[in-house]
Amino acid sequence: YNEAGNLRRLTEEWLAEAEALARTGYQLTVIPVDDRSTDDTLAIARQLAQEQARVRVIAHAVNQNLGGVVKTAIGDFLQMSQSGDLMCLMDGDDTHKPRFIHGMLAKITREKQCVIASRYQPGARVQGLQASRKLFSDGARLYYTLVLHVPGVKDYTCGYRVYTRPALQAGVARYGQALVEKKSFACMMELLYKLYRCGCTFPLYPVLGQQGGREQDEPGQDHPGQLPHSFEAAGAGMRSQEKAWTKTSGKREKPPDRAMLCQAVSVWCH
């Protein structure tokens, strides 16, 4: 949502990883999902799709907030993917970098998993982040750790995650359309907890986090339908979704512990 200042740069960063992914058997597709932006986000996304065969655009006719975009991501992935495909979600504000995808993929060892790019792992760093936004993240981390108690999870608010297809299938099988009910940023914690209830585990990968180059919404600015000044609005500056989806190109040898899990990779960026 309103990521005109970041979308092209972030998409090009994803496309720059295509060659490295191809060397390990992946074919990359990037899918920006526009949530009825009021700036030039959709126009830029469509221009990128015209320029790059790897880019496909999804556009909401009505603003649905972050929860609606996540539902669109999951629905599109499960409809279009094949057995063994993976999906990744990422903030569209250029806070995190696509280059970490390779390390995140190496963390996948089981069918039902969600790899979280964590700022609270040894080796992780955060730079250039506004104090107010860091306070939101740290407060939400403490709050949701006390409330949800998901084993191994240290970062509940980071949207940069890789999901296996069986994990999302299990979530939809158990919860149906109720897998994501929250409209606000709380949908990220909701999805994590419901997948945990379905037997999903959550490996963590340390990343560098930084303040993105947003030109529109500042952290804490309300999005249509968003509850202000609450944990549910902790990520008010992170609305745009972008999905990069990689499929295997040809046959390759797969490590035994990764089996059918590495046939594809999907990446959603919000």
Side-chain angles (χ1 to χ4, degrees):
Y1 179 80
N2 286 358
E3 293 291 358
N6 298 308
L7 181 59
R8 177 172 288 275
R9 178 174 61 252
L10 184 58
T11 300
E12 290 174 349
E13 288 173 356
W14 269 111
L15 294 173
E17 302 302 323
E19 184 176 346
L21 287 167
R23 287 196 295 268
T24 55
Y26 299 110
Q27 179 183 347
L28 177 70
T29 302
V30 182
I31 307 174
V33 180
D34 179 66
D35 194 28
R36 192 65 177 179
S37 295
T38 58
D39 65 358
D40 293 330
T41 298
L42 181 56
I44 293 171
R46 287 173 172 165
Q47 181 63 36
L48 286 165
Q50 291 180 355
E51 297 171 1
Q52 300 285 347
R54 297 181 184 276
V55 179
R56 174 168 66 90
V57 179
I58 297 176
H60 283 169
V62 177
N63 179 275
Q64 299 181 35
N65 294 292
L66 179 58
V69 177
V70 172
K71 290 184 73 170
T72 295
I74 294 172
D76 181 72
F77 173 72
L78 292 180
Q79 180 180 4
M80 302 294 291
S81 64
Q82 300 177 5
S83 176
D85 290 3
L86 310 175
M87 186 186 79
C88 174
L89 294 176
M90 177 192 251
D91 302 338
D93 59 357
D94 205 26
T95 300
H96 294 107
K97 297 300 179 181
R99 67 178 182 270
F100 295 115
I101 187 63
H102 308 286
M104 295 174 73
L105 295 183
K107 288 285 188 178
I108 297 175
T109 59
R110 298 176 56 184
E111 283 197 344
K112 291 191 290 186
Q113 283 191 311
C114 170
V115 181
I116 302 173
S118 176
R119 298 152 291 183
Y120 302 105
Q121 280 291 92
R125 291 188 296 125
V126 178
Q127 64 184 30
L129 197 65
Q130 291 183 0
S132 59
R133 185 163 174 175
K134 186 176 187 302
L135 181 62
F136 269 126
S137 295
D138 291 345
R141 175 199 177 196
L142 176 61
Y143 176 80
Y144 286 109
T145 297
L146 293 173
V147 171
L148 300 182
H149 301 291
V150 178
V153 174
K154 298 180 180 179
D155 200 328
Y156 287 85
T157 63
C158 183
Y160 193 0
R161 304 173 183 173
V162 178
Y163 301 84
T164 65
R165 191 169 186 261
L168 294 174
Q169 287 178 317
V172 171
R174 177 166 180 170
Y175 294 99
Q177 291 297 313
L179 178 60
V180 180
E181 295 181 295
K182 299 292 184 181
K183 296 295 185 182
S184 69
F185 188 71
C187 70
M188 300 305 296
M189 285 65 82
E190 174 193 20
L191 177 59
L192 186 153
Y193 184 71
K194 287 180 176 178
L195 292 182
Y196 162 62
R197 295 291 301 275
C198 295
C200 187
T201 59
F202 302 89
L204 305 180
Y205 183 78
V207 297
L208 167 67
Q210 62 186 20
Q211 179 65 43
R214 296 184 55 85
E215 295 183 349
Q216 298 286 336
D217 302 334
E218 292 299 322
Q221 180 174 332
D222 296 339
H223 185 54
Q226 189 93 356
L227 294 177
H229 309 303
S230 69
F231 278 117
E232 291 197 352
M238 301 179 288
R239 304 289 192 289
S240 252
Q241 287 282 346
E242 181 178 281
K243 177 179 177 183
W245 183 13
T246 71
K247 292 186 177 180
T248 50
S249 52
K251 296 181 179 179
R252 64 187 179 86
E253 296 295 325
K254 297 186 290 293
D257 62 338
R258 296 175 73 182
M260 294 294 293
L261 299 180
C262 296
Q263 294 180 6
V265 183
S266 302
V267 181
W268 273 89
C269 312
H270 59 272

